[in-house]
Amino acid sequence: SLLTRFAWYARRRSRFSSLYCSNRRATGSNLTALDETGLTQETLFTFTTDHGAAFSRAKVTLYDPGLKIPFLARWPGVISPHSQIDALLSNVDFTPTILDLVGTSPPQAETAFHGQSFAALLRHKPHHQHRAIYAEHTYGVTRASNSTR
């Protein structure tokens, strides 16, 4: 019935809200610890997830809400506070980015990483962006191409 579906949705939303608040507190605690230990200026702090929100047509789907994830970063002196980057990124881009930021070259094999560094974006410099992001369900045969550019 409609009432049963609404109750289920309300419970899911409540759990999501609780998780959001918990993550917000934990992120704040981590940032405070960096401030208190004097490590803020030399630390790139990032927060992300591995999939979309746990709502219908979102988590574990190939619809846009199931593919979009949050990415927050704080890097004093490099990333301007409250700045936003409008770019198509994927979690496979994180390893090449971190290697680039610490000045280490990725392994020479061309197939070592599927992603590309977005370190230039963090530094507000020009960056060659993805034209599309590809996703699939690894437990089924569903495949999709998600392109927002």
Side-chain angles (χ1 to χ4, degrees), residues 26-40 43 45 74:
T27 300
S29 296
N30 288 328
L31 294 174
T32 298
L34 288 171
D35 292 342
E36 290 173 352
T37 58
L39 297 173
T40 298
T43 303
F45 179 88
R74 181 175 85 164

Side-chain angles (χ1 to χ4, degrees), residues 73-85 121-124:
R74 181 175 85 164
W75 193 8
V78 179
I79 300 174
S80 303
H82 308 289
S83 62
Q84 295 183 19
I85 295 172
L121 282 175
L122 295 175
R123 295 181 174 120
H124 303 287

Side-chain angles (χ1 to χ4, degrees), residues 27-104:
T27 300
S29 296
N30 288 328
L31 294 174
T32 298
L34 288 171
D35 292 342
E36 290 173 352
T37 58
L39 297 173
T40 298
Q41 295 301 316
E42 59 191 66
T43 303
L44 166 62
F45 179 88
T46 62
F47 170 84
T48 189
T49 63
D50 64 345
H51 49 69
F55 291 117
S56 298
R57 297 176 64 96
K59 182 179 177 179
V60 195
T61 73
L62 295 175
Y63 295 107
D64 280 350
L67 299 174
K68 291 181 178 181
I69 59 170
F71 174 69
L72 305 173
R74 181 175 85 164
W75 193 8
V78 179
I79 300 174
S80 303
H82 308 289
S83 62
Q84 295 183 19
I85 295 172
D86 181 24
L88 192 57
L89 304 173
S90 176
N91 276 353
V92 298
D93 298 328
F94 286 102
T95 299
T97 300
I98 298 300
L99 291 174
D100 190 6
L101 291 172
V102 299
T104 300

